[in-house]
């Protein structure tokens, strides 16, 4: 299948690698072209403009930072929707508000294309291995068209409703996780006076109900980070998660409800960004709090 991927950041590049390994014909476009080079070396075609990517693809996947990035990639002068997209399927995988996905789906539909959303759980490793968790929103017939490809990217697919539902589910899934990283830093502040070794502390937490799966999966990285070792490569940075927390708070407001704990966590992430560590790995959140 001819697949186009717009946005070869951390996740887009990992997904492209996965699809190349399955011998799909993959074309990529990225705002910063340099990031497409390793994929070109692995056999991907590189499109100079989003419109070129869409023209060369039967299915287009986008996984971009936020609503502004979606706007730029789809609706710019040479955007994905600037040419004829009739009959094409778009799979939008960014973590954004439901209304962003709904508005995009409407525009794609008006041009004769189909769109489903599939924001994902899981990070670079699962993306490379086709082991993401896809939170799918879309019309049944469109989801059916996309499903064979989704199954090659995801270990589990949950079709939770029309376009917008997947975005809601993804924001909800990330909420306790992002609050957790700050809460874990606060927990560490309580036991700091004990002077225990970082690896031992992470190991103790990991064997209790005080840990998330993310802590267990990233135990070694977290222990090194607590010992002052710089995390590399970064799987997800603080700024991206700050964007997610902000999106959750905005979404709740539009629903007429409040998220007091989330809003408080957002404030802590904002302070981390102000302290200059926004581009650091997410483990920087608990590390910062413990070290205060
Ligand atoms: N990393 C994870 O573990 C993870 C897991 C699940 C979901 N997600 C979600 O997946 C999405 C991508 O995450 P990521 O980690 O791959 O982020 P990333 O590495 O920062 O990549 C972001 C991508 O968006 C592009 N972009 C940003 N602003 C743009 C603009 N104005 N116009 C065109 N392109 C623009 C970037 O292009 P440039 O290279 O030119 O900057 C890059 O391709 C986000 O919504 C994130 O929340 C991430």
């Amino acid at each position: 299948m001819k697949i186009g991927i717009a946005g070869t950041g951390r996740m887009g590049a990992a997904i492209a690698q996965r699809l190349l390994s399955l011998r799909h014909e993959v074309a990529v476009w990225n705002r910063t072209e340099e990031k497409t080079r390793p994929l070109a070396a692995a056999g991907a075609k590189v499109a100079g403009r989003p419109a070129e990517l869409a023209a060369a693809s039967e299915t287009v996947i986008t996984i971009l930072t936020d609503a502004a990035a979606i706007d730029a990639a789809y609706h710019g002068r040479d955007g994905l929707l600037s040419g004829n997209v009739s009959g094409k399927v778009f799979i939008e995988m960014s973590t954004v508000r439901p209304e962003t996905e709904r508005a995009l789906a409407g525009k794609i539909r008006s041009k004769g294309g189909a769109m489903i959303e599939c924001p994902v759980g899981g990070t670079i490793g699962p993306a490379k291995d086709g082991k993401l968790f896809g939170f799918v929103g879309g019309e049944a017939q469109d989801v059916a068209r996309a499903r064979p490809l989704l199954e090659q990217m995801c270990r589990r697919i949950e079709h939770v409703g029309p376009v917008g539902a997947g975005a809601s589910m993804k924001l909800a899934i990330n909420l306790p996780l992002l609050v957790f990283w700050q809460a874990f830093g606060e927990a560490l502040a309580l036991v700091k006076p004990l002077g225990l070794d970082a690896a031992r502390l992470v190991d103790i937490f990991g064997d209790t109900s005080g840990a998330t799966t993310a802590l267990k999966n990233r135990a070694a990285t977290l222990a090194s980070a607590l010992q002052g070792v710089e995390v590399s490569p970064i799987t997800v940075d603080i700024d991206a998660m700050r964007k997610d927390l902000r999106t959750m708070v905005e979404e709740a407001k539009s629903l007429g409800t409040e998220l007091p704990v989330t809003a408080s966590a957002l404030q802590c992430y904002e302070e981390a960004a102000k302290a200059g560590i926004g581009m650091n790995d997410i483990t920087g959140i608990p590390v910062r709090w413990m070290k205060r």
Side-chain angles (χ1 to χ4, degrees):
M1 186 193 284
K2 289 184 179 173
I3 303 165
I5 301 178
T8 58
R10 295 186 184 105
M11 291 300 281
I15 289 168
Q17 282 176 42
R18 166 73 181 164
L19 298 178
L20 282 165
S21 78
L22 297 175
R23 310 227 172 272
H24 285 292
E25 235 178 277
V26 176
V28 293
W29 170 83
N30 196 56
R31 177 181 63 174
T32 310
E33 193 176 347
E34 197 185 311
K35 290 190 195 166
T36 60
R37 285 193 198 134
L39 295 167
K45 286 186 191 140
V46 177
R49 296 168 302 132
E52 209 181 289
L53 183 85
S57 310
E58 295 158 294
T59 298
V60 177
I61 292 171
T62 53
I63 182 150
L64 300 153
T65 304
D66 54 14
I70 289 178
D71 199 40
Y74 279 88
H75 310 305
R77 195 160 58 88
D78 293 316
L80 291 165
L81 300 184
S82 61
N84 178 9
V85 296
S86 184
K88 295 184 192 289
V89 177
F90 290 80
I91 303 178
E92 210 306 294
M93 301 179 77
S94 318
T95 303
V96 290
R97 283 184 65 184
E99 68 177 31
T100 304
E101 302 287 21
R102 282 193 288 266
L104 180 62
K107 285 188 179 142
I108 292 175
R109 217 176 293 124
S110 73
K111 295 209 73 187
M115 186 198 114
I116 64 148
E117 62 178 343
C118 182
V120 288
T123 183
I124 299 169
K128 283 184 183 163
D129 294 340
K131 298 262 186 306
L132 294 166
F133 191 143
F135 308 107
V136 176
E139 298 303 315
Q141 70 274 14
D142 300 333
V143 175
R145 280 176 77 188
R147 191 173 279 276
L149 184 55
L150 297 179
E151 281 172 351
Q152 295 182 330
M153 296 190 275
C154 301
R155 68 175 170 83
R156 178 167 175 177
I157 297 160
E158 283 290 335
H159 181 196
V160 289
V163 170
S168 295
M169 188 58 78
K170 168 64 185 169
L171 289 176
I173 299 295
N174 268 18
L175 188 157
L177 173 62
L178 300 190
V179 168
F180 170 78
W181 286 121
Q182 173 61 24
F184 183 55
E186 295 179 20
L188 291 175
L190 282 183
V191 290
K192 191 175 163 186
L194 306 183
L196 297 178
D197 171 63
R200 188 171 167 206
L201 264 179
V202 173
D203 184 55
I204 293 171
F205 264 89
D207 196 22
T208 70
S209 48
T212 57
T213 315
L215 180 143
K216 291 175 191 172
N217 288 345
R218 304 203 65 205
T221 307
L222 191 54
S224 317
L226 290 169
Q227 282 156 343
V229 178
E230 197 179 317
V231 176
S232 176
I234 294 170
T235 51
V236 62
D237 62 52
I238 291 170
D239 279 345
M241 296 303 95
R242 198 159 59 93
K243 175 266 299 182
D244 281 9
L245 284 165
R246 208 170 40 235
T247 310
M248 289 162 201
V249 171
E250 284 167 9
E251 182 61 14
K253 202 170 168 196
S254 79
L255 296 173
T257 187
E258 283 173 31
L259 307 176
V261 174
T262 312
S264 214
L266 173 59
Q267 217 175 319
C268 299
Y269 279 61
E270 299 281 15
E271 282 168 21
K274 272 197 206 116
I277 62 165
M279 300 292 278
N280 289 15
D281 186 75
I282 188 68
T283 47
I285 290 291
V287 169
R288 169 176 173 267
W289 209 263
M290 191 197 72
K291 295 209 164 144
R292 267 160 47 113

